[in-house]
């Protein structure tokens, strides 16, 4: 019985200090349509694992220098996030050795002399379990992403903003680095919706979100839809000067979209007002005060005539 096409793509790392054992394992598994790489000892196995990232490891328990138990432990440390099953091959059948194999992270074991039909089924089953686990993790990651993404603009939603802002607030507090927050609001957006309709309003928000994303590109930064027509930008490790530059570019980018807005009171096109603040979080700092400070700056930008940005320093960063 041959492996199915999906399994035939699987890469098996054979780790054994005996060339003859490696040869017969290779010949058997190649007939099952697996791809094979070999290591002569535990130390070499760690290096090869790092290079090729196999789908399963067949690991001899008794080897010189680094035995299979220690090698298995090191594999778990090397890549704890990857579900790579280890099948321990051992001549030891005592309860203590079996328990130890599972303790160090082996998913299963098989004893010498090898019973080939059993090996075939266990390799097949472990690879299938690994593939299923990876698919489940991918689905869970996608579900987590969807929970924190705004369905219209495909930037982070309010929940995504709050989770990330708290995370970066705590990180900047530990590292004593500046954290900046920009709050942006589309000027006279209710009037835009009343004039052009909600579908046009949706298209407008999508274009604005994309324009902001095109500016805010660092991996650690976050763009979020904070409210209906309000956006937020989190900029870790960014001082006042850097944030001023980003806020200015955001306002300019929205102007350059040249989206007609005949009933705007400041322009013939859609514009944006922005307010921002920058702090280095302290031990007893109030994260909510930082948001309030950015909100006050946004209000000041609106009362000063809109289509601009304003900086505000938190009135108090301590409770």
């Amino acid at each position: 019985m041959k492996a199915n096409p999906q399994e035939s793509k699987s890469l098996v790392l054979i780790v054994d200090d005996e060339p003859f054992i490696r040869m017969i394992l290779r010949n058997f598994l190649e007939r099952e349509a697996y791809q094979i790489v070999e290591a002569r000892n535990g130390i070499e196995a760690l290096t090869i694992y790092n290079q090729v990232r196999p789908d399963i490891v067949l690991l001899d328990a008794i080897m010189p220098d680094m035995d299979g138990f220690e090698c298995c432990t090191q594999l778990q440390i090397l890549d704890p996030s990857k579900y790579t099953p280890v099948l321990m091959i051992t001549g030891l059948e005592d309860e203590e050795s079996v328990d130890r194999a599972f303790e160090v992270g082996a998913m299963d074991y098989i004893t010498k002399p090898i019973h080939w039909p059993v090996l075939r089924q266990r390799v097949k089953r472990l690879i299938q379990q690994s593939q299923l686990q990876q698919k489940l993790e991918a689905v869970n990651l996608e579900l987590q992403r969807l929970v924190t993404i705004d369905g219209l603009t495909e930037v982070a939603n309010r929940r995504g903003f709050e989770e990330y802002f708290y995370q970066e607030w705590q990180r900047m507090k530990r590292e004593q680095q500046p954290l900046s927050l920009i709050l942006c609001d589309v000027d006279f957006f209710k009037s835009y919706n009343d004039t052009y309709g909600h579908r046009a309003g949706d298209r407008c928000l999508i274009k604005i979100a994309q324009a902001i994303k095109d500016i805010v590109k660092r991996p650690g930064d976050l763009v979020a839809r904070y409210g209906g027509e309000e956006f937020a930008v989190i900029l870790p490790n960014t001082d006042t000067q850097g944030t001023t530059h980003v806020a200015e570019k955001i306002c300019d980018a929205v102007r350059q979209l040249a989206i007609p807005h005949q009933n705007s009171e400041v322009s013939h096109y859609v514009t944006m007002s922005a307010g921002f603040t920058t702090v280095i979080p302290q031990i007893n700092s109030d994260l909510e005060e930082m948001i309030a400070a950015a909100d006050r700056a946004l209000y000041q930008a609106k009362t000063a005539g809109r289509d601009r940005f304003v900086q505000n320093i938190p009135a108090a960063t301590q409770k």
Side-chain angles (χ1 to χ4, degrees):
M1 181 173 64
K2 298 296 183 183
N4 66 38
Q6 180 63 39
E7 289 160 357
S8 68
K9 299 175 184 177
S10 299
L11 180 63
V12 180
L13 170 57
I14 299 171
V15 187
D16 200 299
D17 62 309
E18 296 184 29
F20 178 71
I21 298 296
R22 294 200 306 274
M23 181 188 71
I24 61 174
L25 282 170
R26 170 186 279 276
N27 290 340
F28 175 78
L29 292 168
E30 283 182 339
R31 287 197 302 271
E32 296 297 311
Y34 295 109
Q35 300 177 62
I36 307 298
V37 288
E38 297 179 20
R40 294 167 295 181
N41 53 59
I43 296 170
E44 189 175 89
L46 297 177
T47 301
I48 293 174
Y49 180 92
N50 253 337
Q51 294 170 344
V52 302
R53 301 291 168 161
D55 296 289
I56 187 171
V57 180
L58 270 58
L59 183 59
D60 185 27
I62 307 302
M63 295 183 292
D65 299 326
M66 178 187 288
D67 66 19
F69 301 107
E70 177 60 23
C71 181
C72 190
T73 300
Q74 293 302 318
L75 286 172
Q76 309 303 314
I77 296 170
L78 198 62
D79 196 359
S81 63
K82 190 175 187 299
Y83 187 85
T84 303
V86 174
L87 176 62
M88 195 79 78
I89 300 177
T90 177
L92 306 171
E93 295 189 68
D94 59 287
E95 185 177 335
E96 183 180 349
S97 297
V98 172
D99 288 344
R100 189 179 175 200
F102 287 111
E103 285 170 5
V104 297
M107 297 301 295
D108 207 341
Y109 77 99
I110 190 168
T111 57
K112 296 178 182 178
I114 296 170
H115 191 260
W116 299 106
V118 173
L119 177 65
R120 175 193 294 119
Q121 289 302 318
R122 290 189 178 174
V123 169
K124 179 181 177 181
R125 177 176 57 82
L126 288 174
I127 290 175
Q128 288 175 339
Q129 286 178 349
S130 174
Q131 291 169 346
L132 178 59
Q133 180 71 20
Q134 290 171 26
K135 288 177 183 177
L136 288 173
E137 288 176 358
V139 168
N140 285 333
L141 284 173
E142 178 63 12
L143 288 173
Q144 291 173 18
R145 187 189 73 83
L146 290 173
V147 166
T148 58
I149 293 294
D150 177 59
L152 176 67
T153 61
E154 296 187 352
V155 298
N157 59 18
R158 182 67 172 264
R159 175 175 174 173
F161 165 82
E162 290 175 349
E163 290 179 358
Y164 192 71
F165 187 61
Y166 177 79
Q167 171 191 311
E168 291 306 292
W169 174 270
Q170 296 298 330
R171 187 167 72 89
M172 294 300 99
K173 185 190 295 184
R174 290 193 304 271
E175 298 176 6
Q176 282 299 282
Q177 294 297 317
L179 176 64
S180 292
L181 173 64
I182 306 173
L183 293 182
C184 317
D185 193 78
V186 182
D187 295 325
F188 303 108
F189 189 69
K190 182 180 184 303
S191 173
Y192 184 91
N193 271 338
D194 291 343
T195 304
Y196 300 98
H198 288 279
R199 290 179 66 84
D202 287 348
R203 291 193 293 272
C204 175
L205 291 175
I206 291 169
K207 289 179 181 178
I208 289 173
Q210 185 59 54
I212 299 174
K213 283 198 294 182
D214 288 343
I215 292 164
V216 183
K217 291 182 176 180
R218 294 187 314 176
D221 298 339
L222 182 80
V223 180
R225 188 179 179 192
Y226 193 68
E229 68 274 15
E230 196 169 4
F231 294 88
V233 178
I234 300 172
L235 302 171
N237 293 296
T238 307
D239 59 16
T240 297
Q241 183 178 356
T243 309
T244 299
H245 179 67
V246 173
E248 184 175 23
K249 288 186 71 174
I250 288 172
C251 291
D252 286 343
V254 173
R255 290 188 205 104
Q256 289 170 15
L257 290 173
I259 301 170
H261 190 351
Q262 66 185 34
N263 287 326
S264 170
E265 297 177 23
V266 294
S267 172
H268 295 300
Y269 301 101
V270 169
T271 58
M272 177 164 276
S273 299
F276 76 87
T277 190
T278 301
V279 301
I280 298 176
Q282 302 303 311
I283 294 175
N284 296 318
S285 293
D286 184 0
L287 147 155
E288 294 296 331
E289 173 52 32
M290 184 176 178
I291 297 174
D295 199 44
R296 287 195 297 271
L298 174 59
Y299 178 77
Q300 291 165 12
K302 291 179 179 179
T303 56
R306 302 181 191 251
D307 187 23
R308 69 194 65 210
F309 65 92
V310 170
Q311 179 197 4
N312 197 343
I313 300 171
T317 57
Q318 304 253 337
K319 282 188 175 180

